[in-house]
Amino acid sequence: MVLLLVMKKRRKKKKGKKEMCQNTETGCWIYASERQLVRMRLAFLRAVLTQEIGAFDTDLTSGKIITGISSHMSVIQDAIGEKMAHFLSNLATFFSGVVIAAICSWELALLTLVVVPLVLVIGATYTKKMNSTSAAKTLYSSQATSMVQETIFQIKTVFAFVGENRAVKAFSECMARQYFISKGEALIKGVGTGMLQTVTFCSWALIIWVGAIVVTDKRSTGGDVISAVMCILFGAISLTHAAPDMQIFNQAKAAGNEIFKVIHRKPAISYDPTAKTLEKINGNICFHDVCFAYPSREDKLVLQGFSLSIPAGKMLGLVGHSGCGKSTLISLLTRFYDPSQGEILIDNHNIKDLDLKFLRKNIGVVSQEPSLFAGSIKDNIKVGNMDADDQQIQNAAVLANAHTFVSQLPNQYATEVGQSGVQLSGGQRQRIAIARAILKNPPILLLDEATSALDSESEKLVQDALEKAMQDRTVITIAHRLSTIENADIIAIVDEGQVIETGTHLSLLDTSKLYNNLFSMQKFGPIHNSSSEETEESATTNQKSSSPDIDQNEKFPYLDVEQLKEPRKPSENVDKPIEQVEQEGEKKMGVFFRMWFGLKRKELVQTAIGTFAAAFSGISKPLFGFLIITVGVAYYHPHARKKVGWYSIVFSLIGAISLFSNTLQHYFFGMVGEKAMTNLRQALYAAILRNEVAWFEKPESNVGSLTSRVINDTSMVKTVISDRMSIVVQCISSILIATIVSMIVNWRMALVAWAVMPCHFIGGLIQAKSAQGFSGDYAAAHYEVVSLASESAANIRTIASFCHEEQILSKAKTSLEVPKRKNRSESIKYGIIQGVSLCLWNIAHAVALWYTAILIKRNQASFKDGIRAYQIFSLTVPSITELWMLIPTIISAVGTLTPVFETLDRKTEIEPDMTEYPPVDQITGRIDFKNVKFSYPSRPEVTVLNDFSLQIDPGLKVALVGPSGAGKSSILALLLRFYCPSEGMILIDGKDIKGYNLRRLRKHIGFVQQEPLLFSSSIRENISYGTNGASEAEIVEVSREASIHEFICSLPDGYDTIIGEKGCQLSGGQKQRVAIARALIKKPEILLLDEATSALDAESENSVVSALESVHKMRHGDTRFTQITVAHRLSTIINSDEIVVMDKGQIVETGSHVTLSSNSKGSLLQIAPASETIG
């Protein structure tokens, strides 16, 4: 009975300790991890926001930032929270077991000093290998995140150029590289785990054999030896339980390495509280011999000895061709970059010596491509001055000519603008940005094409307002329209990074041939608002709350990929709350089975092999329990050394087999999990790219959320299959085998063991239910900060110029406070439930141990069989415990993946791959709008086009003009089927466009947006985007037509030059010309130009327009493409076959330029600027 008493004593101690500590242990660690991650997220975001702009051109991509603040943070939180608590608890159990073993038999305890170093060596090797693979996977994960983020952000460009398959292919290739690395990772994990099992069993072989020697030599009793063995056993079991945590720590280490690289990165340009501030800035600016090259292209000088002085209170106009360095001057003045040579002085102080915040607070900037933040119009204007009251905000809006359209909105200044201002038109965004700069009231104002997106009437009003706002302040304005800088005190002509001429407007007309030519090219004035502006503006003008293209109801499940054709549950969630509740359990089960996504026969065979190997691995625990007591009894046998020696050999054989089974188990489950995750990611990505444009503009479908859904949420599939299901199979195998063996050994004890199993089940169940509620909303709780980080990365220049970093951090802190507060109460509750469940488990042990003693006392079981049956049960309980510990993860995964499968199952409102009968390979370009009525899906009460009818014959050039909100851009959007009209028909070649295969139709349509969006790849890849294998000759040809070839050839890498995220390494005009070349290379039958030349200087515009004229005449022999142009400048549409004047969604007047301009009361003259000559 010695063994029984020792074990009983040990169990009581263990029970008392864990019941009291489990609550505190788990709750505190989880809450502490949440607090740590709040600080870490804020530190990461702060580090991102304080980096110089050059870092975002080269190193800090949006994908890297989103990955860092979402998936990397989640891994770290898991590691330093629940996993750390679990690891330390098991480590403490191990050392406690060694200490007690030393008390019982120091010789056996010393053996652990031999075994543990061996385990540590294997663990260190395993960790090193896993770290290297984790780092490689992290790299590919960041690349994939960048791809997804960029594609979704530029979804209209992707759709217009039929780039969905290209995007999916690039993503799939990245996933394939990650899958290849994961194969090695799975093998390392399998061999590493198997080696640990082998070393463990061989160590047991050594320990029990040494124990036999100690007993036979009379240096210790059998009871003390078996007590020492049992203490070491449970310590070793705890160490084994701690081993999986090491993998999480490895992943967290790799993630932390990426996080802390950013946190510890020292920006080249940073805030210095000890830097100089001035009482007042007068506004004297001096550029002295400034040279500069962008960090991404250091061998290409943009400014070469640039020198210029601007007196305080004067207005400087900068003129020059696109890419000559005008916008670079603004970036240098605001210290987005520092010059490589020379100096920039403000009031005779080098700006490097001035406090950075002080400098930027005294400079107002309105960029060519204005950036707004998700929030209300009021919030966006208030960025200029956070202390401004409502009246000041309204006054600034009035000056910027924004108050009129804002006051017409139902929610007026409280209207939400959407992420990046997507719910406003280009012109509206520009006016909000101008109001924001006016509210700042800076002594220095920098305007970079500030009115380029405005129609003529708005431009004139805003220009008048700006001239009032410019009084008593220094202004630098960049403009391609010379009419906007006629009144400038100084006009500087910039070429090749140098000032070549300066003077006033009149003096330059007399003395400068170049300036005179530029002015002559613009004798036809701007005509009107940019298309993108008008459309959205019109829709926005009476917007109720959301985006022009936003809300479309989700309907029924739809999938595009072949492998998706498997049973699925539709996500019909609307108007069926009762049915939804009834089907909730069924849906969850459906989600669980769908995790095994797209697996083919090969993966199913691998799953079967892995399952068999896992089941075989599960034999070890009950077999060990059976043998260890047999060894304990053998110590009392006369030939103990010989009998135990045989058992040692058996232990060694089990260890060798464990190496084989664990390798197969983890390798095959790892492969299957990675494959299922990859399949789901690819299918989800493809399914997302099938949705209509309006779906992407819903608040819940923002860039950050969708990117996180594709990359982070789908990773739960691998977590469940690779890291959880193999262990589940192993645990179930252990429980079944233990039940069978214990029934054979002593059926009474086996029945009692199962009788107390409800204690384990109930404990595990309440723990699992608690974990479901605890972790289910974790990802959703942090979506807000992920979206904020994504938006901040996209708008970093605006944030820096307005010193808005602290406000962003304040928003982030506020968004993190809610999950932190919830985590505090939930972690305490979770800890209490953990303690209660552990208490129930220990009660079950106590009952089983008590009944064993009863059986032995009543002679209903021998001591050997009674203890053996109990020990089998005892060693199987950890499997039950582990099984229940895994259930919360699986339940949490189901909750996380439910929105994933709902997105996957969603049926698009506009089917892109509809079967077409008969298929059309070529179109002539005839377009008919018949009684079209259109409202944006989110605002059906606001009519954008009303009974609109227009016929365009093939090969004609048609220009659309009209005030903002007239519906011009809506026409282009409808032709591309971004949306569908609510009434009427749109015909191409006499066929309803709904009857065309949409992707095939879009291949025949070229599209150039007002704000061109390029991809983070080479110039060659951007130009050839949307075509299949364009030749070098074709790329060069369209580059010449777009007047971009010479600039590209001047770059060191030519057409292979990487242009950065969203083309950030090119100027606005350069991006526009690349976009034009991209449209022309498609050789479209229909060409849609939405302010395609708005960002070009007069010379470039003239050459591009001439090239388009030439292409229009020569392309396809005698067959000309149909061209629809939306433009502000009459010079770009003067030669149009027909000009359509629109207002309020209807046609006011049509005719040629000569016809319309000859009518003194015509609409064309009314919308043309009075300052320009027409005709």
Side-chain angles (χ1 to χ4, degrees):
M1 297 296 290
V2 175
L3 175 62
L4 182 61
L5 294 174
V6 170
M7 291 175 67
K8 192 172 182 180
K9 182 178 181 182
R10 173 176 57 79
R11 282 293 178 190
K12 287 180 178 178
K13 287 183 178 178
K14 184 175 179 181
K15 176 182 175 181
K17 178 187 79 169
K18 285 208 169 182
E19 284 177 21
M20 294 173 61
C21 297
Q22 188 72 24
N23 174 16
T24 306
E25 170 200 349
T26 307
C28 288
W29 275 104
I30 291 176
Y31 182 54
S33 69
E34 177 67 25
R35 288 171 58 88
Q36 284 291 97
L37 263 293
V38 167
R39 296 191 188 99
M40 193 177 294
R41 281 189 170 94
L42 290 174
F44 179 79
L45 188 56
R46 183 183 297 277
V48 168
L49 295 176
T50 55
Q51 298 302 319
E52 76 281 6
I53 300 300
F56 296 88
D57 295 344
T58 55
D59 184 32
L60 287 177
T61 63
S62 296
K64 188 172 184 179
I65 293 168
I66 293 173
T67 302
I69 206 164
S70 56
S71 59
H72 286 353
M73 293 293 182
S74 298
V75 171
I76 293 171
Q77 180 157 4
D78 188 32
I80 68 174
E82 191 175 356
K83 293 298 184 293
M84 181 62 74
H86 184 254
F87 179 79
L88 292 179
S89 175
N90 284 295
L91 204 61
T93 302
F94 168 73
F95 284 114
S96 300
V98 172
V99 170
I100 297 173
I103 295 171
C104 294
S105 177
W106 63 269
E107 291 165 300
L108 291 184
L110 284 179
L111 286 177
T112 58
L113 299 179
V114 177
V115 174
V116 171
L118 188 59
V119 172
L120 291 176
V121 168
I122 295 172
T125 305
Y126 171 75
T127 300
K128 183 179 179 181
K129 294 287 186 183
M130 291 296 289
N131 281 344
S132 61
T133 56
S134 294
K137 286 185 64 180
T138 298
L139 175 64
Y140 286 124
S141 178
S142 295
Q143 290 179 0
T145 302
S146 296
M147 288 180 191
V148 175
Q149 189 266 347
E150 185 176 54
T151 300
I152 295 174
F153 184 83
Q154 305 188 37
I155 194 64
K156 286 187 178 180
T157 302
V158 173
F159 283 169
F161 288 86
V162 198
E164 300 96 319
N165 290 337
R166 183 171 182 158
V168 172
K169 182 181 178 182
F171 182 75
S172 298
E173 288 172 353
C174 185
M175 289 292 97
R177 292 192 290 270
Q178 182 172 322
Y179 178 71
F180 180 77
I181 292 175
S182 295
K183 291 172 70 174
E185 181 187 46
L187 183 61
I188 292 169
K189 182 180 178 182
V191 173
T193 307
M195 285 296 295
L196 287 171
Q197 287 289 327
T198 301
V199 169
T200 300
F201 274 96
C202 291
S203 300
W204 282 117
L206 176 63
I207 289 171
I208 63 174
W209 183 69
V210 171
I213 294 175
V214 170
V215 171
T216 54
D217 289 347
K218 308 298 184 182
R219 296 200 297 270
S220 184
T221 64
D224 287 337
V225 168
I226 195 63
S227 296
V229 168
M230 296 306 296
C231 289
I232 295 172
L233 165 64
F234 283 97
I237 290 173
S238 297
L239 202 60
T240 303
H241 289 165
D245 298 328
M246 294 300 296
Q247 184 182 2
I248 304 298
F249 296 155
N250 290 335
Q251 295 171 1
K253 183 180 178 182
N257 184 46
E258 295 297 318
I259 293 294
F260 285 103
K261 273 183 185 177
V262 176
I263 292 177
H264 294 151
R265 188 183 188 278
K266 293 187 181 296
I269 302 171
S270 60
Y271 297 127
D272 182 3
T274 63
K276 187 190 302 182
T277 59
L278 307 176
E279 283 189 19
K280 180 183 178 184
I281 284 186
N282 296 315
N284 291 294
I285 301 172
C286 179
F287 294 88
H288 180 65
D289 198 25
V290 171
C291 295
F292 174 72
Y294 283 99
S296 55
R297 293 198 299 270
E298 295 181 346
D299 49 356
K300 174 69 176 177
L301 283 176
V302 180
L303 298 179
Q304 306 178 51
F306 184 93
S307 296
L308 184 65
S309 294
I310 306 107
K314 300 296 182 181
M315 174 182 174
L316 168 71
L318 292 175
V319 178
H321 64 80
S322 299
C324 67
K326 304 185 299 295
S327 297
T328 301
L329 293 171
I330 288 179
S331 295
L332 292 175
L333 196 58
T334 52
R335 285 202 73 196
F336 288 167
Y337 308 92
D338 279 337
S340 52
Q341 292 181 26
E343 58 182 6
I344 303 172
L345 306 177
I346 292 181
D347 292 348
N348 294 320
H349 295 278
N350 192 321
I351 61 172
K352 291 184 180 180
D353 299 329
L354 297 176
D355 177 75
L356 189 58
K357 277 190 178 180
F358 170 79
L359 173 69
R360 289 176 176 171
K361 284 181 178 179
N362 283 278
I363 299 176
V365 181
V366 180
S367 63
Q368 184 176 357
E369 298 175 1
S371 299
L372 301 185
F373 301 94
S376 67
I377 292 175
K378 175 183 174 181
D379 292 337
N380 273 279
I381 297 177
K382 200 172 182 179
V383 169
N385 181 1
M386 297 305 295
D387 298 323
D389 57 30
D390 290 349
Q391 188 58 50
Q392 290 172 315
I393 292 171
Q394 183 173 322
N395 292 342
V398 170
L399 283 175
N401 194 32
H403 179 70
T404 302
F405 88 81
V406 173
S407 61
Q408 291 175 353
L409 301 172
N411 296 325
Q412 298 188 351
Y413 286 88
T415 300
E416 294 292 320
V417 302
Q419 194 170 33
S420 300
V422 69
Q423 298 176 20
L424 299 180
S425 72
Q428 290 171 340
R429 289 198 296 270
Q430 194 71 285
R431 278 176 273 181
I432 296 299
I434 292 171
R436 182 172 63 189
I438 291 174
L439 187 64
K440 193 176 184 180
N441 194 29
I444 298 173
L445 187 60
L446 310 178
L447 306 174
D448 187 358
E449 285 286 346
T451 59
S452 64
L454 304 183
D455 58 82
S456 301
E457 182 182 358
S458 296
E459 181 187 28
K460 186 177 184 304
L461 292 172
V462 171
Q463 196 64 37
D464 292 341
L466 285 174
E467 287 182 6
K468 294 178 184 177
M470 290 174 188
Q471 294 177 6
D472 301 323
R473 72 185 81 221
T474 305
V475 179
I476 298 178
T477 182
I478 297 171
H480 290 148
R481 301 185 200 174
L482 299 185
S483 60
T484 62
I485 58 170
E486 284 181 355
N487 299 325
D489 301 295
I490 307 169
I491 295 175
I493 302 175
V494 184
D495 188 40
E496 299 297 330
Q498 295 178 323
V499 176
I500 58 173
E501 290 181 274
T502 61
T504 64
H505 174 68
L506 294 177
S507 67
L508 288 174
L509 282 177
D510 293 334
T511 61
S512 173
K513 183 178 180 181
L514 175 60
Y515 188 81
N516 202 29
N517 289 338
L518 291 174
F519 183 74
S520 299
M521 291 177 188
Q522 297 185 26
K523 65 179 178 180
F524 299 102
I527 212 171
H528 202 42
N529 166 36
S530 100
S531 142
S532 78
E533 164 188 16
E534 81 197 59
T535 281
E536 297 157 69
E537 177 149 344
S538 114
T540 322
T541 304
N542 297 304
Q543 166 183 8
K544 242 180 185 180
S545 61
S546 301
S547 99
D549 327 343
I550 275 185
D551 185 60
Q552 293 196 21
N553 292 330
E554 303 179 12
K555 292 187 179 178
F556 304 102
Y558 179 86
L559 296 175
D560 170 62
V561 184
E562 186 69 24
Q563 65 188 8
L564 307 189
K565 296 177 181 177
E566 56 181 71
R568 59 184 74 94
K569 297 282 185 287
S571 55
E572 300 170 315
N573 297 336
V574 183
D575 300 327
K576 294 184 179 182
I578 298 177
E579 296 175 13
Q580 190 177 34
V581 170
E582 291 175 351
Q583 296 176 2
E584 186 177 349
E586 183 181 348
K587 285 187 177 181
K588 287 183 178 180
M589 288 301 296
V591 169
F592 173 76
F593 287 114
R594 292 184 68 185
M595 287 185 198
W596 307 77
F597 194 85
L599 299 181
K600 298 180 180 177
R601 183 174 181 179
K602 178 183 176 182
E603 287 82 31
L604 295 177
V605 171
Q606 290 177 339
T607 304
I609 296 172
T611 301
F612 179 78
F616 196 84
S617 298
I619 296 174
S620 60
K621 287 180 181 177
L623 189 59
F624 186 89
F626 179 84
L627 291 175
I628 198 71
I629 297 302
T630 306
V631 169
V633 174
Y635 282 147
Y636 292 93
H637 196 277
H639 303 289
R641 187 176 299 191
K642 182 178 179 180
K643 284 186 74 73
V644 173
W646 281 109
Y647 290 126
S648 296
I649 293 173
V650 173
F651 272 105
S652 299
L653 290 174
I654 294 174
I657 295 172
S658 293
L659 172 62
F660 182 72
S661 64
N662 275 276
T663 300
L664 291 178
Q665 169 189 343
H666 291 289
Y667 177 73
F668 284 119
F669 269 105
M671 294 287 293
V672 170
E674 185 73 28
K675 187 65 176 177
M677 180 187 72
T678 301
N679 290 344
L680 180 57
R681 279 181 174 173
Q682 293 173 355
L684 178 63
Y685 190 38
I688 284 174
L689 296 183
R690 293 180 61 84
N691 288 296
E692 70 282 358
V693 169
W695 182 78
F696 290 91
E697 293 171 346
K698 292 182 179 182
E700 64 270 21
S701 298
N702 61 68
V703 176
S705 296
L706 291 179
T707 303
S708 182
R709 190 168 298 170
V710 173
I711 301 298
N712 300 329
D713 294 357
T714 54
S715 65
M716 292 301 295
V717 171
K718 184 181 179 184
T719 300
V720 170
I721 296 176
S722 299
D723 302 333
R724 301 293 185 263
M725 289 309 299
S726 64
I727 306 300
V728 167
V729 173
Q730 189 174 317
C731 291
I732 293 173
S733 172
S734 292
I735 295 168
L736 292 178
I737 294 170
T739 302
I740 294 169
V741 174
S742 61
M743 288 290 286
I744 295 171
V745 173
N746 188 287
W747 63 269
R748 290 186 179 88
M749 181 60 213
L751 291 177
V752 170
W754 272 105
V756 297
M757 280 295 175
C759 290
H760 295 286
F761 293 149
I762 293 170
L765 184 62
I766 59 175
Q767 182 180 343
K769 287 290 185 182
S770 171
Q772 179 186 11
F774 176 74
S775 59
D777 298 329
Y778 177 81
H782 294 93
Y783 268 156
E784 188 175 345
V785 75
V786 172
S787 298
L788 186 62
S790 173
E791 185 179 54
S792 299
N795 299 335
I796 190 63
R797 290 171 182 262
T798 303
I799 292 171
S801 64
F802 284 91
C803 302
H804 198 55
E805 295 90 346
E806 291 303 321
Q807 284 73 27
I808 295 293
L809 289 169
S810 177
K811 279 186 180 180
K813 189 174 181 180
T814 302
S815 70
L816 290 170
E817 278 299 317
V818 175
K820 188 175 86 169
R821 283 197 301 269
K822 184 178 179 181
N823 185 282
R824 180 168 54 189
S825 58
E826 290 294 325
S827 60
I828 294 172
K829 182 174 76 173
Y830 186 58
I832 291 173
I833 290 173
Q834 284 269 41
V836 170
S837 63
L838 187 64
C839 175
L840 291 174
W841 291 335
N842 280 290
I843 288 172
H845 270 291
V847 171
L849 188 60
W850 168 78
Y851 188 68
T852 301
I854 295 295
L855 289 177
I856 296 171
K857 183 178 180 181
R858 293 178 179 175
N859 293 321
Q860 291 178 326
S862 64
F863 175 79
K864 176 181 177 181
D865 288 343
I867 296 301
R868 187 187 281 170
Y870 168 77
Q871 194 61 31
I872 293 170
F873 163 77
S874 177
L875 290 181
T876 307
V877 164
S879 294
I880 300 171
T881 304
E882 194 169 9
L883 184 62
W884 283 116
M885 293 292 286
L886 294 173
I887 288 176
T889 303
I890 296 173
I891 293 175
S892 176
V894 170
T896 302
L897 289 169
T898 297
V900 170
F901 285 108
E902 286 177 354
T903 302
L904 187 66
D905 292 341
R906 181 184 185 270
K907 183 172 181 178
T908 178
E909 298 285 334
I910 301 177
E911 172 56 53
D913 274 329
M914 184 188 71
T915 305
E916 182 181 1
Y917 297 106
V920 177
D921 296 324
Q922 191 170 356
I923 61 177
T924 62
R926 177 188 175 91
I927 300 170
D928 291 283
F929 287 83
K930 292 189 175 181
N931 307 112
V932 170
K933 185 176 182 180
F934 172 66
S935 301
Y936 284 105
S938 61
R939 297 189 304 280
E941 73 282 358
V942 179
T943 302
V944 180
L945 294 177
N946 187 19
D947 197 27
F948 180 86
S949 296
L950 177 66
Q951 179 178 316
I952 302 173
D953 291 329
L956 292 186
K957 292 188 300 177
V958 176
L960 302 177
V961 299
S964 297
K968 304 183 298 295
S969 293
S970 297
I971 292 172
L972 306 189
L974 289 172
L975 271 175
L976 285 162
R977 283 203 73 197
F978 288 164
Y979 316 96
C980 286
S982 52
E983 293 181 15
M985 297 175 64
I986 303 172
L987 309 177
I988 292 180
D989 290 356
K991 179 179 178 180
D992 192 334
I993 60 172
K994 294 181 180 179
Y996 285 94
N997 178 285
L998 182 54
R999 287 178 177 164
R1000 192 175 298 168
L1001 174 65
R1002 284 172 176 168
K1003 288 182 179 180
H1004 297 284
I1005 302 175
F1007 181 47
V1008 183
Q1009 302 175 77
Q1010 180 184 1
E1011 297 176 4
L1013 295 172
L1014 304 182
F1015 296 90
S1016 180
S1017 56
S1018 68
I1019 294 176
R1020 173 181 282 103
E1021 290 171 329
N1022 271 280
I1023 292 176
S1024 62
Y1025 186 80
T1027 61
N1028 294 321
S1031 67
E1032 186 73 14
E1034 290 174 316
I1035 293 173
V1036 171
E1037 180 187 356
V1038 295
S1039 298
R1040 290 185 189 277
E1041 291 170 352
S1043 297
I1044 191 70
H1045 176 69
E1046 290 182 6
F1047 163 74
I1048 296 172
C1049 291
S1050 70
L1051 299 173
D1053 295 327
Y1055 283 89
D1056 294 321
T1057 301
I1058 303 298
I1059 61 176
E1061 270 195 287
K1062 301 166 192 165
C1064 64
Q1065 296 175 23
L1066 299 180
S1067 70
Q1070 290 164 352
K1071 285 191 285 187
Q1072 192 74 283
R1073 282 178 280 175
V1074 171
I1076 292 171
R1078 179 174 64 186
L1080 292 177
I1081 204 170
K1082 290 178 71 175
K1083 297 182 180 179
E1085 282 80 9
I1086 299 173
L1087 182 62
L1088 309 178
L1089 303 176
D1090 189 357
E1091 278 294 334
T1093 59
S1094 63
L1096 302 184
D1097 57 88
E1099 183 179 358
S1100 297
E1101 180 188 41
N1102 188 53
S1103 62
V1104 169
V1105 170
S1106 299
L1108 288 173
E1109 292 280 348
S1110 175
V1111 172
H1112 189 264
K1113 292 175 182 177
M1114 299 173 60
R1115 185 69 61 84
H1116 308 307
D1118 295 330
T1119 304
R1120 303 191 305 171
F1121 57 77
T1122 305
Q1123 180 176 316
I1124 301 178
T1125 305
V1126 174
H1128 287 156
R1129 306 181 191 175
L1130 284 176
S1131 57
T1132 62
I1133 59 171
I1134 193 74
N1135 295 320
S1136 297
D1137 299 303
E1138 184 176 11
I1139 297 175
V1140 179
V1141 183
M1142 297 179 60
D1143 189 28
K1144 298 180 180 178
Q1146 294 180 321
I1147 296 175
V1148 177
E1149 195 174 5
T1150 64
S1152 66
H1153 175 263
V1154 174
T1155 303
L1156 294 176
S1157 59
S1158 63
N1159 183 359
S1160 60
K1161 297 183 180 180
S1163 304
L1164 187 66
L1165 289 181
Q1166 293 176 17
I1167 62 175
S1171 60
E1172 302 286 349
T1173 303
I1174 302 177

